[in-house]
PDB file of all heavy atoms in Angstrom:
ATOM      1  N   SER I 477     -26.418  34.211  46.173  1.00 97.00           N
ATOM      2  CA  SER I 477     -25.260  34.011  45.311  1.00 97.00           C
ATOM      3  C   SER I 477     -25.427  32.712  44.534  1.00 97.00           C
ATOM      4  O   SER I 477     -25.784  31.676  45.109  1.00 97.00           O
ATOM      5  CB  SER I 477     -23.974  33.954  46.149  1.00 97.00           C
ATOM      6  OG  SER I 477     -22.841  33.725  45.326  1.00 97.00           O
ATOM      7  N   VAL I 478     -25.169  32.761  43.233  1.00 98.00           N
ATOM      8  CA  VAL I 478     -25.242  31.579  42.387  1.00 98.00           C
ATOM      9  C   VAL I 478     -23.832  31.182  41.965  1.00 98.00           C
ATOM     10  O   VAL I 478     -23.078  31.996  41.432  1.00 98.00           O
ATOM     11  CB  VAL I 478     -26.105  31.826  41.131  1.00 98.00           C
ATOM     12  CG1 VAL I 478     -25.977  30.669  40.145  1.00 98.00           C
ATOM     13  CG2 VAL I 478     -27.555  32.032  41.527  1.00 98.00           C
ATOM     14  N   GLY I 479     -23.475  29.931  42.222  1.00 98.00           N
ATOM     15  CA  GLY I 479     -22.195  29.411  41.769  1.00 98.00           C
ATOM     16  C   GLY I 479     -22.365  28.657  40.468  1.00 98.00           C
ATOM     17  O   GLY I 479     -23.294  27.852  40.324  1.00 98.00           O
ATOM     18  N   VAL I 480     -21.498  28.902  39.509  1.00 97.00           N
ATOM     19  CA  VAL I 480     -21.539  28.211  38.213  1.00 97.00           C
ATOM     20  C   VAL I 480     -20.445  27.153  38.222  1.00 97.00           C
ATOM     21  O   VAL I 480     -19.251  27.477  38.262  1.00 97.00           O
ATOM     22  CB  VAL I 480     -21.328  29.192  37.049  1.00 97.00           C
ATOM     23  CG1 VAL I 480     -21.273  28.449  35.724  1.00 97.00           C
ATOM     24  CG2 VAL I 480     -22.439  30.232  37.042  1.00 97.00           C
ATOM     25  N   TYR I 481     -20.868  25.880  38.205  1.00 97.00           N
ATOM     26  CA  TYR I 481     -19.922  24.789  38.208  1.00 97.00           C
ATOM     27  C   TYR I 481     -19.520  24.454  36.777  1.00 97.00           C
ATOM     28  O   TYR I 481     -20.274  23.854  36.032  1.00 97.00           O
ATOM     29  CB  TYR I 481     -20.525  23.547  38.879  1.00 97.00           C
ATOM     30  CG  TYR I 481     -19.612  22.345  38.874  1.00 97.00           C
ATOM     31  CD1 TYR I 481     -18.555  22.260  39.773  1.00 97.00           C
ATOM     32  CD2 TYR I 481     -19.781  21.321  37.946  1.00 97.00           C
ATOM     33  CE1 TYR I 481     -17.699  21.172  39.760  1.00 97.00           C
ATOM     34  CE2 TYR I 481     -18.930  20.226  37.921  1.00 97.00           C
ATOM     35  CZ  TYR I 481     -17.889  20.155  38.830  1.00 97.00           C
ATOM     36  OH  TYR I 481     -17.032  19.071  38.799  1.00 97.00           O
ATOM     37  N   ARG I 482     -18.353  24.895  36.384  1.00 94.00           N
ATOM     38  CA  ARG I 482     -17.737  24.650  35.087  1.00 94.00           C
ATOM     39  C   ARG I 482     -18.402  25.452  33.972  1.00 94.00           C
ATOM     40  O   ARG I 482     -19.613  25.533  33.873  1.00 94.00           O
ATOM     41  CB  ARG I 482     -17.729  23.163  34.712  1.00 94.00           C
ATOM     42  CG  ARG I 482     -17.147  22.221  35.756  1.00 94.00           C
ATOM     43  CD  ARG I 482     -15.694  22.519  36.111  1.00 94.00           C
ATOM     44  NE  ARG I 482     -14.812  22.552  34.967  1.00 94.00           N
ATOM     45  CZ  ARG I 482     -14.143  21.489  34.490  1.00 94.00           C
ATOM     46  NH1 ARG I 482     -14.309  20.324  35.057  1.00 94.00           N
ATOM     47  NH2 ARG I 482     -13.324  21.611  33.471  1.00 94.00           N
ATOM     48  N   LEU I 483     -17.567  26.010  33.140  1.00 92.00           N
ATOM     49  CA  LEU I 483     -18.019  26.685  31.924  1.00 92.00           C
ATOM     50  C   LEU I 483     -17.997  25.744  30.724  1.00 92.00           C
ATOM     51  O   LEU I 483     -18.675  26.004  29.728  1.00 92.00           O
ATOM     52  CB  LEU I 483     -17.127  27.899  31.619  1.00 92.00           C
ATOM     53  CG  LEU I 483     -17.093  29.003  32.678  1.00 92.00           C
ATOM     54  CD1 LEU I 483     -16.163  30.136  32.220  1.00 92.00           C
ATOM     55  CD2 LEU I 483     -18.481  29.548  32.951  1.00 92.00           C
ATOM     56  N   VAL I 484     -17.216  24.662  30.801  1.00 84.00           N
ATOM     57  CA  VAL I 484     -17.163  23.703  29.698  1.00 84.00           C
ATOM     58  C   VAL I 484     -18.524  23.041  29.560  1.00 84.00           C
ATOM     59  O   VAL I 484     -19.279  22.922  30.519  1.00 84.00           O
ATOM     60  CB  VAL I 484     -16.070  22.636  29.914  1.00 84.00           C
ATOM     61  CG1 VAL I 484     -14.691  23.279  29.899  1.00 84.00           C
ATOM     62  CG2 VAL I 484     -16.295  21.858  31.206  1.00 84.00           C
ATOM     63  N   MET I 485     -18.835  22.608  28.334  1.00 70.00           N
ATOM     64  CA  MET I 485     -20.162  22.070  28.055  1.00 70.00           C
ATOM     65  C   MET I 485     -20.380  20.688  28.645  1.00 70.00           C
ATOM     66  O   MET I 485     -21.484  20.316  29.003  1.00 70.00           O
ATOM     67  CB  MET I 485     -20.388  22.006  26.545  1.00 70.00           C
ATOM     68  CG  MET I 485     -20.596  23.361  25.904  1.00 70.00           C
ATOM     69  SD  MET I 485     -22.083  24.177  26.482  1.00 70.00           S
ATOM     70  CE  MET I 485     -23.334  23.031  25.936  1.00 70.00           C
ATOM     71  N   LYS I 486     -19.292  19.880  28.744  1.00 66.00           N
ATOM     72  CA  LYS I 486     -19.447  18.496  29.183  1.00 66.00           C
ATOM     73  C   LYS I 486     -18.090  17.972  29.611  1.00 66.00           C
ATOM     74  O   LYS I 486     -17.047  18.580  29.319  1.00 66.00           O
ATOM     75  CB  LYS I 486     -20.006  17.629  28.046  1.00 66.00           C
ATOM     76  CG  LYS I 486     -19.141  17.642  26.785  1.00 66.00           C
ATOM     77  CD  LYS I 486     -19.762  16.853  25.659  1.00 66.00           C
ATOM     78  CE  LYS I 486     -18.882  16.891  24.413  1.00 66.00           C
ATOM     79  NZ  LYS I 486     -19.455  16.128  23.305  1.00 66.00           N
ATOM     80  N   SER I 487     -18.072  16.832  30.298  1.00 62.00           N
ATOM     81  CA  SER I 487     -16.815  16.212  30.666  1.00 62.00           C
ATOM     82  C   SER I 487     -16.066  15.779  29.406  1.00 62.00           C
ATOM     83  O   SER I 487     -16.667  15.453  28.392  1.00 62.00           O
ATOM     84  CB  SER I 487     -17.058  14.999  31.569  1.00 62.00           C
ATOM     85  OG  SER I 487     -17.762  13.996  30.868  1.00 62.00           O
ATOM     86  N   GLY I 488     -14.737  15.799  29.489  1.00 58.00           N
ATOM     87  CA  GLY I 488     -13.940  15.444  28.321  1.00 58.00           C
ATOM     88  C   GLY I 488     -13.677  16.604  27.402  1.00 58.00           C
ATOM     89  O   GLY I 488     -13.059  16.438  26.354  1.00 58.00           O
ATOM     90  N   SER I 489     -14.141  17.794  27.761  1.00 60.00           N
ATOM     91  CA  SER I 489     -13.903  18.992  26.957  1.00 60.00           C
ATOM     92  C   SER I 489     -13.164  20.014  27.800  1.00 60.00           C
ATOM     93  O   SER I 489     -13.387  20.122  29.004  1.00 60.00           O
ATOM     94  CB  SER I 489     -15.229  19.593  26.468  1.00 60.00           C
ATOM     95  OG  SER I 489     -14.999  20.846  25.838  1.00 60.00           O
ATOM     96  N   ASP I 490     -12.242  20.750  27.167  1.00 58.00           N
ATOM     97  CA  ASP I 490     -11.559  21.838  27.858  1.00 58.00           C
ATOM     98  C   ASP I 490     -11.893  23.181  27.216  1.00 58.00           C
ATOM     99  O   ASP I 490     -11.215  24.166  27.416  1.00 58.00           O
ATOM    100  CB  ASP I 490     -10.045  21.610  27.866  1.00 58.00           C
ATOM    101  CG  ASP I 490      -9.457  21.446  26.462  1.00 58.00           C
ATOM    102  OD1 ASP I 490     -10.229  21.562  25.481  1.00 58.00           O
ATOM    103  OD2 ASP I 490      -8.248  21.202  26.343  1.00 58.00           O
ATOM    104  N   ASN I 491     -12.976  23.207  26.466  1.00 64.00           N
ATOM    105  CA  ASN I 491     -13.333  24.388  25.687  1.00 64.00           C
ATOM    106  C   ASN I 491     -14.696  24.906  26.127  1.00 64.00           C
ATOM    107  O   ASN I 491     -15.633  24.138  26.311  1.00 64.00           O
ATOM    108  CB  ASN I 491     -13.357  24.007  24.202  1.00 64.00           C
ATOM    109  CG  ASN I 491     -14.011  25.077  23.348  1.00 64.00           C
ATOM    110  OD1 ASN I 491     -13.789  26.259  23.556  1.00 64.00           O
ATOM    111  ND2 ASN I 491     -14.805  24.662  22.394  1.00 64.00           N
ATOM    112  N   PHE I 492     -14.805  26.223  26.329  1.00 76.00           N
ATOM    113  CA  PHE I 492     -16.120  26.768  26.659  1.00 76.00           C
ATOM    114  C   PHE I 492     -16.523  27.905  25.726  1.00 76.00           C
ATOM    115  O   PHE I 492     -17.295  28.791  26.096  1.00 76.00           O
ATOM    116  CB  PHE I 492     -16.181  27.231  28.120  1.00 76.00           C
ATOM    117  CG  PHE I 492     -14.959  27.956  28.630  1.00 76.00           C
ATOM    118  CD1 PHE I 492     -14.771  29.301  28.418  1.00 76.00           C
ATOM    119  CD2 PHE I 492     -13.997  27.261  29.339  1.00 76.00           C
ATOM    120  CE1 PHE I 492     -13.671  29.966  28.899  1.00 76.00           C
ATOM    121  CE2 PHE I 492     -12.873  27.917  29.837  1.00 76.00           C
ATOM    122  CZ  PHE I 492     -12.708  29.269  29.620  1.00 76.00           C
ATOM    123  N   ARG I 493     -16.026  27.861  24.485  1.00 70.00           N
ATOM    124  CA  ARG I 493     -16.506  28.811  23.484  1.00 70.00           C
ATOM    125  C   ARG I 493     -17.989  28.571  23.241  1.00 70.00           C
ATOM    126  O   ARG I 493     -18.418  27.447  23.014  1.00 70.00           O
ATOM    127  CB  ARG I 493     -15.745  28.631  22.173  1.00 70.00           C
ATOM    128  CG  ARG I 493     -14.310  29.082  22.203  1.00 70.00           C
ATOM    129  CD  ARG I 493     -13.577  28.700  20.947  1.00 70.00           C
ATOM    130  NE  ARG I 493     -13.465  27.249  20.798  1.00 70.00           N
ATOM    131  CZ  ARG I 493     -12.746  26.646  19.860  1.00 70.00           C
ATOM    132  NH1 ARG I 493     -12.102  27.367  18.970  1.00 70.00           N
ATOM    133  NH2 ARG I 493     -12.683  25.342  19.784  1.00 70.00           N
ATOM    134  N   GLU I 494     -18.775  29.618  23.299  1.00 78.00           N
ATOM    135  CA  GLU I 494     -20.215  29.543  23.036  1.00 78.00           C
ATOM    136  C   GLU I 494     -20.934  28.595  24.002  1.00 78.00           C
ATOM    137  O   GLU I 494     -22.008  28.090  23.699  1.00 78.00           O
ATOM    138  CB  GLU I 494     -20.490  29.100  21.592  1.00 78.00           C
ATOM    139  CG  GLU I 494     -20.001  30.064  20.540  1.00 78.00           C
ATOM    140  CD  GLU I 494     -20.784  31.371  20.518  1.00 78.00           C
ATOM    141  OE1 GLU I 494     -21.964  31.373  20.908  1.00 78.00           O
ATOM    142  OE2 GLU I 494     -20.207  32.387  20.112  1.00 78.00           O
ATOM    143  N   SER I 495     -20.338  28.360  25.181  1.00 90.00           N
ATOM    144  CA  SER I 495     -21.005  27.505  26.163  1.00 90.00           C
ATOM    145  C   SER I 495     -22.341  28.118  26.544  1.00 90.00           C
ATOM    146  O   SER I 495     -22.444  29.322  26.789  1.00 90.00           O
ATOM    147  CB  SER I 495     -20.121  27.347  27.404  1.00 90.00           C
ATOM    148  OG  SER I 495     -20.795  26.643  28.412  1.00 90.00           O
ATOM    149  N   SER I 496     -23.376  27.283  26.619  1.00 93.00           N
ATOM    150  CA  SER I 496     -24.711  27.800  26.928  1.00 93.00           C
ATOM    151  C   SER I 496     -24.768  28.438  28.310  1.00 93.00           C
ATOM    152  O   SER I 496     -25.563  29.358  28.536  1.00 93.00           O
ATOM    153  CB  SER I 496     -25.741  26.673  26.828  1.00 93.00           C
ATOM    154  OG  SER I 496     -25.417  25.621  27.707  1.00 93.00           O
ATOM    155  N   VAL I 497     -23.926  27.980  29.233  1.00 95.00           N
ATOM    156  CA  VAL I 497     -23.976  28.529  30.582  1.00 95.00           C
ATOM    157  C   VAL I 497     -23.540  29.998  30.597  1.00 95.00           C
ATOM    158  O   VAL I 497     -23.943  30.765  31.479  1.00 95.00           O
ATOM    159  CB  VAL I 497     -23.123  27.674  31.550  1.00 95.00           C
ATOM    160  CG1 VAL I 497     -21.645  27.948  31.379  1.00 95.00           C
ATOM    161  CG2 VAL I 497     -23.538  27.901  32.998  1.00 95.00           C
ATOM    162  N   LEU I 498     -22.755  30.413  29.602  1.00 95.00           N
ATOM    163  CA  LEU I 498     -22.379  31.828  29.524  1.00 95.00           C
ATOM    164  C   LEU I 498     -23.607  32.709  29.319  1.00 95.00           C
ATOM    165  O   LEU I 498     -23.713  33.796  29.892  1.00 95.00           O
ATOM    166  CB  LEU I 498     -21.372  32.048  28.388  1.00 95.00           C
ATOM    167  CG  LEU I 498     -20.024  31.339  28.520  1.00 95.00           C
ATOM    168  CD1 LEU I 498     -19.185  31.557  27.258  1.00 95.00           C
ATOM    169  CD2 LEU I 498     -19.276  31.842  29.748  1.00 95.00           C
ATOM    170  N   GLY I 499     -24.552  32.223  28.495  1.00 95.00           N
ATOM    171  CA  GLY I 499     -25.797  32.971  28.297  1.00 95.00           C
ATOM    172  C   GLY I 499     -26.632  33.019  29.565  1.00 95.00           C
ATOM    173  O   GLY I 499     -27.295  34.030  29.850  1.00 95.00           O
ATOM    174  N   VAL I 500     -26.619  31.938  30.342  1.00 97.00           N
ATOM    175  CA  VAL I 500     -27.354  31.924  31.610  1.00 97.00           C
ATOM    176  C   VAL I 500     -26.722  32.909  32.586  1.00 97.00           C
ATOM    177  O   VAL I 500     -27.426  33.646  33.300  1.00 97.00           O
ATOM    178  CB  VAL I 500     -27.372  30.497  32.198  1.00 97.00           C
ATOM    179  CG1 VAL I 500     -28.054  30.493  33.565  1.00 97.00           C
ATOM    180  CG2 VAL I 500     -28.094  29.541  31.250  1.00 97.00           C
ATOM    181  N   ILE I 501     -25.395  32.946  32.620  1.00 97.00           N
ATOM    182  CA  ILE I 501     -24.695  33.901  33.492  1.00 97.00           C
ATOM    183  C   ILE I 501     -25.101  35.329  33.154  1.00 97.00           C
ATOM    184  O   ILE I 501     -25.420  36.134  34.037  1.00 97.00           O
ATOM    185  CB  ILE I 501     -23.166  33.728  33.370  1.00 97.00           C
ATOM    186  CG1 ILE I 501     -22.723  32.403  33.988  1.00 97.00           C
ATOM    187  CG2 ILE I 501     -22.431  34.895  34.024  1.00 97.00           C
ATOM    188  CD1 ILE I 501     -21.265  32.069  33.738  1.00 97.00           C
ATOM    189  N   ASP I 502     -25.081  35.668  31.868  1.00 96.00           N
ATOM    190  CA  ASP I 502     -25.450  37.030  31.450  1.00 96.00           C
ATOM    191  C   ASP I 502     -26.860  37.377  31.899  1.00 96.00           C
ATOM    192  O   ASP I 502     -27.120  38.499  32.380  1.00 96.00           O
ATOM    193  CB  ASP I 502     -25.337  37.168  29.932  1.00 96.00           C
ATOM    194  CG  ASP I 502     -23.903  37.145  29.439  1.00 96.00           C
ATOM    195  OD1 ASP I 502     -22.993  37.376  30.252  1.00 96.00           O
ATOM    196  OD2 ASP I 502     -23.701  36.892  28.229  1.00 96.00           O
ATOM    197  N   ARG I 503     -27.772  36.445  31.768  1.00 97.00           N
ATOM    198  CA  ARG I 503     -29.165  36.711  32.141  1.00 97.00           C
ATOM    199  C   ARG I 503     -29.323  36.864  33.647  1.00 97.00           C
ATOM    200  O   ARG I 503     -30.096  37.718  34.114  1.00 97.00           O
ATOM    201  CB  ARG I 503     -30.059  35.585  31.597  1.00 97.00           C
ATOM    202  CG  ARG I 503     -30.248  35.656  30.081  1.00 97.00           C
ATOM    203  CD  ARG I 503     -30.667  34.306  29.507  1.00 97.00           C
ATOM    204  NE  ARG I 503     -31.048  34.379  28.095  1.00 97.00           N
ATOM    205  CZ  ARG I 503     -30.178  34.410  27.097  1.00 97.00           C
ATOM    206  NH1 ARG I 503     -28.876  34.390  27.349  1.00 97.00           N
ATOM    207  NH2 ARG I 503     -30.600  34.467  25.840  1.00 97.00           N
ATOM    208  N   LEU I 504     -28.610  36.053  34.421  1.00 97.00           N
ATOM    209  CA  LEU I 504     -28.682  36.174  35.877  1.00 97.00           C
ATOM    210  C   LEU I 504     -28.105  37.510  36.340  1.00 97.00           C
ATOM    211  O   LEU I 504     -28.678  38.179  37.204  1.00 97.00           O
ATOM    212  CB  LEU I 504     -27.933  35.016  36.540  1.00 97.00           C
ATOM    213  CG  LEU I 504     -28.581  33.628  36.422  1.00 97.00           C
ATOM    214  CD1 LEU I 504     -27.649  32.566  36.969  1.00 97.00           C
ATOM    215  CD2 LEU I 504     -29.926  33.602  37.153  1.00 97.00           C
ATOM    216  N   ARG I 505     -26.990  37.897  35.762  1.00 96.00           N
ATOM    217  CA  ARG I 505     -26.373  39.179  36.150  1.00 96.00           C
ATOM    218  C   ARG I 505     -27.279  40.356  35.792  1.00 96.00           C
ATOM    219  O   ARG I 505     -27.353  41.338  36.536  1.00 96.00           O
ATOM    220  CB  ARG I 505     -25.018  39.322  35.467  1.00 96.00           C
ATOM    221  CG  ARG I 505     -23.979  38.314  35.959  1.00 96.00           C
ATOM    222  CD  ARG I 505     -22.664  38.496  35.236  1.00 96.00           C
ATOM    223  NE  ARG I 505     -21.983  39.714  35.665  1.00 96.00           N
ATOM    224  CZ  ARG I 505     -20.928  40.242  35.040  1.00 96.00           C
ATOM    225  NH1 ARG I 505     -20.482  39.669  33.922  1.00 96.00           N
ATOM    226  NH2 ARG I 505     -20.349  41.324  35.497  1.00 96.00           N
ATOM    227  N   SER I 506     -27.987  40.250  34.656  1.00 95.00           N
ATOM    228  CA  SER I 506     -28.891  41.331  34.269  1.00 95.00           C
ATOM    229  C   SER I 506     -30.065  41.443  35.239  1.00 95.00           C
ATOM    230  O   SER I 506     -30.702  42.501  35.329  1.00 95.00           O
ATOM    231  CB  SER I 506     -29.413  41.118  32.844  1.00 95.00           C
ATOM    232  OG  SER I 506     -30.328  40.031  32.787  1.00 95.00           O
ATOM    233  N   ARG I 507     -30.344  40.349  35.975  1.00 94.00           N
ATOM    234  CA  ARG I 507     -31.396  40.360  36.996  1.00 94.00           C
ATOM    235  C   ARG I 507     -30.860  40.751  38.367  1.00 94.00           C
ATOM    236  O   ARG I 507     -31.577  40.679  39.364  1.00 94.00           O
ATOM    237  CB  ARG I 507     -32.060  38.978  37.067  1.00 94.00           C
ATOM    238  CG  ARG I 507     -32.902  38.618  35.827  1.00 94.00           C
ATOM    239  CD  ARG I 507     -33.110  37.109  35.768  1.00 94.00           C
ATOM    240  NE  ARG I 507     -34.090  36.685  34.751  1.00 94.00           N
ATOM    241  CZ  ARG I 507     -33.840  36.603  33.460  1.00 94.00           C
ATOM    242  NH1 ARG I 507     -32.649  36.947  33.002  1.00 94.00           N
ATOM    243  NH2 ARG I 507     -34.767  36.191  32.611  1.00 94.00           N
ATOM    244  N   GLY I 508     -29.571  41.115  38.420  1.00 94.00           N
ATOM    245  CA  GLY I 508     -28.979  41.557  39.676  1.00 94.00           C
ATOM    246  C   GLY I 508     -28.518  40.443  40.588  1.00 94.00           C
ATOM    247  O   GLY I 508     -28.233  40.680  41.766  1.00 94.00           O
ATOM    248  N   VAL I 509     -28.392  39.225  40.057  1.00 96.00           N
ATOM    249  CA  VAL I 509     -27.954  38.090  40.867  1.00 96.00           C
ATOM    250  C   VAL I 509     -26.426  38.037  40.894  1.00 96.00           C
ATOM    251  O   VAL I 509     -25.777  38.157  39.858  1.00 96.00           O
ATOM    252  CB  VAL I 509     -28.513  36.764  40.304  1.00 96.00           C
ATOM    253  CG1 VAL I 509     -28.015  35.579  41.130  1.00 96.00           C
ATOM    254  CG2 VAL I 509     -30.038  36.791  40.271  1.00 96.00           C
ATOM    255  N   HIS I 510     -25.855  37.853  42.093  1.00 97.00           N
ATOM    256  CA  HIS I 510     -24.402  37.701  42.205  1.00 97.00           C
ATOM    257  C   HIS I 510     -24.005  36.306  41.726  1.00 97.00           C
ATOM    258  O   HIS I 510     -24.606  35.304  42.103  1.00 97.00           O
ATOM    259  CB  HIS I 510     -23.941  37.886  43.657  1.00 97.00           C
ATOM    260  CG  HIS I 510     -22.463  37.679  43.838  1.00 97.00           C
ATOM    261  ND1 HIS I 510     -21.920  36.468  44.214  1.00 97.00           N
ATOM    262  CD2 HIS I 510     -21.417  38.523  43.649  1.00 97.00           C
ATOM    263  CE1 HIS I 510     -20.601  36.581  44.276  1.00 97.00           C
ATOM    264  NE2 HIS I 510     -20.278  37.819  43.936  1.00 97.00           N
TER     265      HIS I 510
END
Side-chain angles (χ1 to χ4, degrees):
S477 178
V478 170
V480 176
Y481 178 77
R482 308 300 305 269
L483 299 180
V484 295
M485 288 296 298
K486 58 184 180 180
S487 65
S489 172
D490 57 3
N491 167 41
F492 41 83
R493 289 172 295 188
E494 296 291 333
S495 174
S496 58
V497 77
L498 297 175
V500 176
I501 291 172
D502 290 341
R503 287 159 172 80
L504 290 173
R505 293 179 72 192
S506 71
R507 291 161 170 78
V509 178
H510 177 266

